[in-house]
Amino acid sequence: MNILEKITQNQAAFSKSEKKVAEVILANPQTAIHSSIATLAKMSDVSEPTVNRFCRRLDTKGFPDFKLHLAQSLANGTPYVNRHVDENDSPDEYTNKIFESTMASLEVARQSVNVNVVNRVVDLLTQAQKISFFGLGASASVAHDALNKFFRFNVPVVYFEDILMQRMSCMNCSAGDVVVLISHTGRTKSLVEIAQIARMNDATVVGITSAESPLAQECSYVLSLEVPEDTDMYMPMASRIAQLTLIDVLATGFTLRRGNKFRENLKRVKDTLRGSRYEKRGD
Amino acid sequence: MNILEKITQNQAAFSKSEKKVAEVILANPQTAIHSSIATLAKMSDVSEPTVNRFCRRLDTKGFPDFKLHLAQSLANGTPYVNRHVDENDSPDEYTNKIFESTMASLEVARQSVNVNVVNRVVDLLTQAQKISFFGLGASASVAHDALNKFFRFNVPVVYFEDILMQRMSCMNCSAGDVVVLISHTGRTKSLVEIAQIARMNDATVVGITSAESPLAQECSYVLSLEVPEDTDMYMPMASRIAQLTLIDVLATGFTLRRGNKFRENLKRVKDTLRGSRYEKRGD
DNA sequence: TTCAAGTTGTAATTTTACTACATTTGGTGT
DNA sequence: ACACCAAATGTAGTAAAATTACAACTTGAA
């Protein structure tokens, strides 16, 4: 944990002299890491052992160790924190906040991914007779994106926005078909029903959804992503991004499993797009 | 500059004993920052002054200062690097690589966003009579997502996948309409044509695309995102994510500009979804 | 071979951090 | 209000760590 934050938080628990030290350090941490314990003591107007005791209170071995921690905190430069957008934010502020909290969410999501399930699902997908991607609302565009990716793989892949089409498609499923259902909450009724229908028709159902949700319970495999969602905004933001990244992971796993020849095929698909594009100068 | 890299680069310029020190430090920098000069000297099988000289050669004031620099380098650890997926990667490896390179790309994208243009575009969007989002291929799902977001704002918003529908829709544009075109490369012919059609019909055209591309040249405003794309994979990955995040930024700017009452309205829109969902236990 | 420049080590010195103990402060109960 | 105790702080001495000065060794060119 960041030692600067730690100082700020524990500030109340410090003694009078320790508070002085904390103040001086927080006011100018850059100076602090380049000072000896004597200089810092003088700056804080306390004795050297007080500074030493201050360091130990923060669970460091002593002053040099404390400086090391401090140096690391400063280097980190507040990595990516989930800072919420505020009403009075300037465009510059909300732009940075959104990018940063998206990155922070991806970090959290990354840690929550169960790699074993990813591997198993990639297995399934490579062997599937037909792959379907369904999602509703904000997750529809994620399914749409998945279609785009897997379509390039030259495998039978299906995507519908329409609930009835989704249902009908699942009715026609058979063993060997994989249905991937995407929903952040996992509580959308119609999607849960679709999971049931697909399973009744022997399809394997993969859920990209919240763990232990009603949808998750109907799935054969669940890829759950723990994403802290900014509920102030009333719309999904980070969860979609995490879902998309997971789709990227699955797609990548798919191509890796299929091997070299398959990737050459991908390149061919991409080359066919060339006719629809303006050439880049110098190509 | 990162001192670890500096050690690696200068390695040739070091003397025999200094190389020993460099080796030991590079092999286990975590240990190094927690060792005294004596221990490190013993580990490297050299004398203490040699270690000290080594530190000075790297433009530090001495051993303690060197440790500080080292600690900072380790903390920095180049947070998220764009590491390419390798053929022999395990599921664990490629999952982490993809998440990390996505985060790295977002960081690059964040720095390349022109906030002034963002602000101007938010202006335009809030005043628009009608907003259209068009993209093709991988960018179609981004446009789809934008539809989803802006639809909640209760503004006239349009999205088509079909090229002909896109063209017809642009034919019917008039002053006050905003057309947002999404394309990573900015070289897709039909999208460039759509930009021209929209502009001919007095619409304002915003491009979320590569700077100085043919598409960018046809746009009234360009939101360019510099995203390092992994060309090995032959499919767009990070660029979509950056585009989506930018859409989030625009949507957020939109709601902020519209003020408090508007956000209450958003909440109402969200609440109407409740009927279609299973309640969360404890709600 | 010899000398000089560069490299490395030894030992002394200085700086820095830490410990043990003494003093002070502030609060509590009588 | 006073005595007493515990916590907090400082002083002075000690140990450890880093640095310096200098001596010894290596290496390569004349």
Side-chain angles (χ1 to χ4, degrees):
Chain A
M1 186 210 188
N2 187 311
I3 199 135
L4 273 172
E5 290 173 30
K6 206 168 178 177
I7 297 175
T8 321
Q9 284 177 12
N10 288 30
Q11 210 149 11
F14 290 145
S15 75
K16 211 185 342 173
S17 309
E18 283 168 348
K19 271 179 199 153
K20 286 197 225 167
V21 181
E23 250 175 66
V24 171
I25 290 172
L26 288 176
N28 208 337
Q30 274 300 340
T31 315
I33 57 170
H34 291 111
S35 313
S36 71
I37 195 167
T39 1
L40 197 60
K42 203 169 282 174
M43 284 198 289
S44 318
D45 195 31
V46 298
S47 70
E48 298 184 23
T50 300
V51 175
N52 194 283
R53 282 188 280 261
F54 170 85
C55 298
R56 299 222 171 135
R57 195 171 291 273
L58 292 156
D59 301 316
T60 62
K61 285 187 182 176
F63 184 69
D65 189 41
F66 168 79
K67 284 209 288 190
L68 246 43
H69 280 266
L70 191 57
Q72 294 196 319
S73 301
L74 291 175
N76 262 333
T78 357
Y80 301 120
V81 204
N82 208 328
R83 295 186 295 154
H84 286 203
V85 173
D86 180 75
E87 223 176 313
N88 305 310
D89 279 347
S90 70
D92 189 52
E93 283 170 320
Y94 67 72
T95 302
N96 280 310
K97 278 185 182 176
I98 289 172
F99 269 92
E100 280 182 22
S101 57
T102 303
M103 286 186 274
S105 304
L106 277 178
E107 175 61 32
V108 176
R110 178 173 77 101
Q111 284 165 2
S112 74
V113 170
N114 183 332
V115 181
N116 294 325
V117 181
V118 167
N119 198 23
R120 190 76 192 88
V121 170
V122 168
D123 258 351
L124 280 169
L125 290 174
T126 46
Q127 285 155 29
Q129 271 173 26
K130 187 179 79 182
I131 306 174
S132 314
F133 293 101
F134 301 136
L136 294 168
S139 303
S141 59
V142 177
H144 188 170
D145 185 80
L147 167 80
N148 227 294
K149 282 226 140 62
F150 281 83
F151 182 76
R152 295 182 186 220
F153 298 162
N154 197 26
V155 288
V157 52
V158 167
Y159 154 78
F160 295 112
E161 278 194 73
D162 186 318
I163 270 191
L164 292 180
M165 295 294 277
Q166 292 176 356
R167 289 178 85 106
M168 287 193 280
S169 175
C170 288
M171 287 286 192
N172 291 326
C173 275
S174 55
D177 290 356
V178 177
V179 176
V180 181
L181 299 178
I182 304 161
S183 163
H184 175 51
T185 59
R187 306 188 170 282
T188 310
K189 286 178 188 167
S190 14
L191 214 60
V192 177
E193 286 166 21
I194 282 167
Q196 290 163 339
I197 295 170
R199 284 240 304 208
M200 272 193 287
N201 290 283
D202 302 321
T204 310
V205 178
V206 176
I208 297 184
T209 187
S210 173
E212 288 167 44
S213 61
L215 175 57
Q217 273 153 23
E218 297 294 334
C219 292
S220 323
Y221 296 93
V222 178
L223 282 164
S224 68
L225 290 166
E226 301 305 324
V227 178
E229 198 62 82
D230 187 341
T231 47
D232 293 354
M233 287 305 295
Y234 309 120
M235 52 184 176
M237 310 241 295
S239 58
R240 293 154 29 241
I241 309 266
Q243 288 165 356
L244 280 170
T245 310
L246 191 56
I247 296 286
D248 285 349
V249 170
L250 294 178
T252 304
F254 192 98
T255 59
L256 290 181
R257 193 67 59 89
R258 284 293 183 90
N260 250 326
K261 272 185 201 154
F262 180 68
R263 275 203 294 291
E264 309 232 328
N265 188 50
L266 262 186
K267 187 166 173 4
R268 253 198 355 266
V269 172
K270 195 182 179 182
D271 287 346
T272 59
L273 290 175
R274 194 163 286 176
S276 68
R277 292 201 174 136
Y278 292 108
E279 290 293 313
K280 197 165 186 172
R281 278 169 298 272
D283 273 12
Chain B
M1 185 212 184
N2 188 310
I3 199 134
L4 272 172
E5 290 173 30
K6 207 167 177 179
I7 297 175
T8 321
Q9 284 177 12
N10 289 29
Q11 211 149 13
F14 291 144
S15 73
K16 210 183 341 170
S17 308
E18 281 169 348
K19 271 179 199 153
K20 285 197 226 166
V21 180
E23 248 174 69
V24 171
I25 291 173
L26 289 175
N28 209 337
Q30 276 298 342
T31 313
I33 58 171
H34 291 113
S35 311
S36 72
I37 194 165
T39 3
L40 197 60
K42 202 169 282 174
M43 284 199 289
S44 318
D45 195 30
V46 297
S47 70
E48 299 184 22
T50 302
V51 176
N52 193 281
R53 282 188 281 262
F54 170 84
C55 298
R56 301 223 168 136
R57 195 171 292 274
L58 293 157
D59 301 315
T60 62
K61 285 185 182 176
F63 184 68
D65 189 43
F66 169 78
K67 282 209 289 190
L68 246 44
H69 281 266
L70 191 57
Q72 294 197 317
S73 301
L74 290 177
N76 259 332
T78 345
Y80 304 118
V81 204
N82 207 329
R83 295 186 298 154
H84 285 206
V85 173
D86 182 75
E87 221 176 314
N88 306 310
D89 279 346
S90 69
D92 189 52
E93 283 170 319
Y94 67 71
T95 302
N96 281 310
K97 279 186 182 176
I98 289 172
F99 269 92
E100 281 183 23
S101 57
T102 304
M103 287 186 273
S105 304
L106 277 179
E107 174 62 32
V108 175
R110 177 173 77 100
Q111 285 166 3
S112 74
V113 170
N114 183 331
V115 182
N116 294 323
V117 181
V118 167
N119 198 22
R120 189 79 196 83
V121 170
V122 169
D123 258 352
L124 281 169
L125 290 174
T126 46
Q127 285 154 32
Q129 273 173 23
K130 187 180 80 183
I131 306 174
S132 314
F133 292 100
F134 300 136
L136 295 167
S139 302
S141 59
V142 177
H144 188 171
D145 185 79
L147 168 81
N148 228 294
K149 283 225 138 61
F150 280 82
F151 182 77
R152 295 180 185 222
F153 298 163
N154 197 23
V155 288
V157 52
V158 166
Y159 153 78
F160 294 112
E161 278 193 74
D162 187 318
I163 269 192
L164 293 180
M165 295 295 278
Q166 292 177 355
R167 288 178 87 105
M168 286 193 283
S169 175
C170 288
M171 287 287 193
N172 291 325
C173 275
S174 55
D177 289 357
V178 178
V179 176
V180 181
L181 299 178
I182 303 159
S183 163
H184 174 51
T185 59
R187 309 191 167 279
T188 310
K189 285 176 187 167
S190 14
L191 214 60
V192 177
E193 286 166 22
I194 282 168
Q196 290 163 339
I197 295 170
R199 285 240 305 209
M200 272 193 288
N201 290 283
D202 302 320
T204 311
V205 179
V206 175
I208 297 183
T209 186
S210 174
E212 289 166 45
S213 62
L215 176 58
Q217 274 153 22
E218 298 295 332
C219 292
S220 321
Y221 295 94
V222 178
L223 282 164
S224 67
L225 290 166
E226 301 305 324
V227 178
E229 197 62 82
D230 188 341
T231 47
D232 292 355
M233 288 304 296
Y234 310 120
M235 53 183 172
M237 311 242 291
S239 59
R240 292 153 32 243
I241 308 266
Q243 289 164 358
L244 280 170
T245 310
L246 192 55
I247 296 286
D248 286 348
V249 170
L250 294 178
T252 305
F254 192 98
T255 59
L256 290 180
R257 193 67 58 88
R258 285 292 181 90
N260 250 327
K261 272 186 203 153
F262 180 68
R263 275 202 296 288
E264 309 233 328
N265 188 52
L266 262 186
K267 190 166 170 359
R268 257 202 345 270
V269 172
K270 196 182 179 184
D271 288 345
T272 59
L273 290 175
R274 196 164 285 175
S276 68
R277 291 199 176 139
Y278 292 107
E279 291 294 314
K280 199 166 183 172
R281 279 167 298 271
D283 273 11

